[in-house]
């Protein structure tokens, strides 16, 4: 029966069709369970939208984001001798943070946020509120094998940032002085 039993199939053919229909629907639903799981699993805390604190500045850091570069960046950017070290640092990286990086981010939980994405995607720039940011900082890989290639990659990141918001201040680390031109 369906519901309270007041409506039910009376013939064998009707009952057979109802059983067949129920089995097909359950099978179709079961085949879509991986899609639902993938959808909910893809929405992590690193895929959300950044919510800036009113009255507090934020900067976006992109490029070569590793445990070493994040630790080094925090030491410099949040140094007590700096006049204004109250800005929130928003890291925009292409991969999920390692456990070591998560621990480093936890140490600075009130001053840092981490997001998965890239400056090449306008949606990621929008999620991190790039139009409201005070600056975008592009970090380089200081251990790269080809400094020119690293510089070219960072220059294309700057171009992408400027395509999204042409008036934003962009600070970029370059390996080779001649690539500044």
């Amino acid at each position: 029966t369906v519901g309270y039993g007041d409506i039910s199939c009376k013939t064998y053919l009707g009952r057979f069709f109802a059983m067949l229909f129920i089995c097909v629907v359950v099978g179709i639903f079961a085949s879509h369970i991986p899609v639902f799981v993938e959808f909910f699993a893809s929405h992590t805390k690193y895929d959300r939208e950044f919510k800036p604190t009113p009255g507090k500045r934020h900067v976006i850091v992109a490029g070569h984001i590793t445990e070493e570069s994040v630790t080094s960046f925090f030491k410099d950017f949040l140094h007590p001798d700096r006049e204004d070290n109250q800005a929130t640092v928003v890291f925009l990286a292409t991969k999920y943070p390692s456990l070591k990086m998560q621990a480093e981010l936890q140490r600075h939980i009130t001053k840092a946020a981490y997001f998965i994405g890239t400056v090449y995607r306008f949606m990621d720039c929008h999620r991190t509120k790039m139009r409201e940011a005070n600056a975008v900082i592009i970090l380089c890989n200081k251990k790269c094998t080809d400094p020119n290639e690293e510089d070219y990659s960072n220059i294309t990141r700057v171009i992408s940032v400027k395509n999204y918001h042409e008036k934003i201040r962009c600070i970029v680390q370059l390996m080779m002085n001649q690539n500044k031109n």
Side-chain angles (χ1 to χ4, degrees):
T1 65
V2 178
Y4 295 106
D6 52 346
I7 300 173
S8 62
C9 300
K10 304 292 183 212
T11 65
Y12 288 113
L13 184 62
R15 289 178 184 165
F16 175 76
F17 176 74
M19 288 188 316
L20 182 67
F21 182 73
I22 289 171
C23 290
V24 168
V25 169
V26 168
I28 290 173
F29 177 76
S31 70
H32 284 79
I33 289 176
V35 175
F36 294 129
V37 169
E38 182 180 328
F39 174 77
F40 289 114
S42 70
H43 287 71
T44 66
K45 66 181 182 177
Y46 305 116
D47 298 318
R48 69 192 188 289
E49 187 169 309
F50 175 65
K51 292 181 176 53
T53 306
K56 192 171 181 182
R57 301 177 322 146
H58 77 278
V59 295
I60 298 171
V61 179
H64 185 70
I65 307 292
T66 62
E67 297 94 1
E68 185 179 331
S69 65
V70 167
T71 303
S72 175
F73 183 82
F74 276 135
K75 282 181 184 175
D76 181 46
F77 191 78
L78 301 177
H79 195 273
D81 290 344
R82 292 177 64 89
E83 289 180 19
D84 182 19
N85 60 1
Q86 297 301 314
T88 302
V89 179
V90 177
F91 291 99
L92 185 60
T94 56
K95 56 186 175 182
Y96 288 95
S98 65
L99 291 175
K100 186 177 177 184
M101 189 180 303
Q102 287 178 23
E104 184 68 25
L105 292 168
Q106 273 307 115
R107 288 184 46 221
H108 304 285
I109 194 161
T110 60
K111 296 185 184 261
Y114 191 95
F115 294 90
I116 298 296
T118 177
V119 294
Y120 297 120
R121 291 187 56 216
F122 279 15
M123 191 58 157
D124 294 334
C125 295
H126 180 73
R127 281 187 316 118
T128 55
K129 305 293 189 228
M130 191 175 286
R131 291 192 189 277
E132 301 168 27
N134 287 74
V136 174
I137 301 168
I138 311 283
L139 301 179
C140 69
N141 179 3
K142 295 175 183 170
K143 296 178 181 178
C144 67
T145 56
D146 186 359
N148 283 319
E149 186 66 34
E150 180 67 18
D151 286 352
Y152 297 151
S153 296
N154 283 342
I155 290 167
T156 59
R157 287 182 181 99
V158 172
I159 292 169
S160 181
V161 167
K162 290 295 188 173
N163 283 339
Y164 180 75
H165 183 47
E166 65 185 33
K167 294 185 180 178
I168 193 159
R169 182 176 178 206
C170 206
I171 302 163
V172 60
Q173 285 183 333
L174 296 176
M175 301 288 291
M176 306 295 286
N177 190 34
Q178 67 266 19
N179 290 333
K180 193 161 79 168
N181 296 333

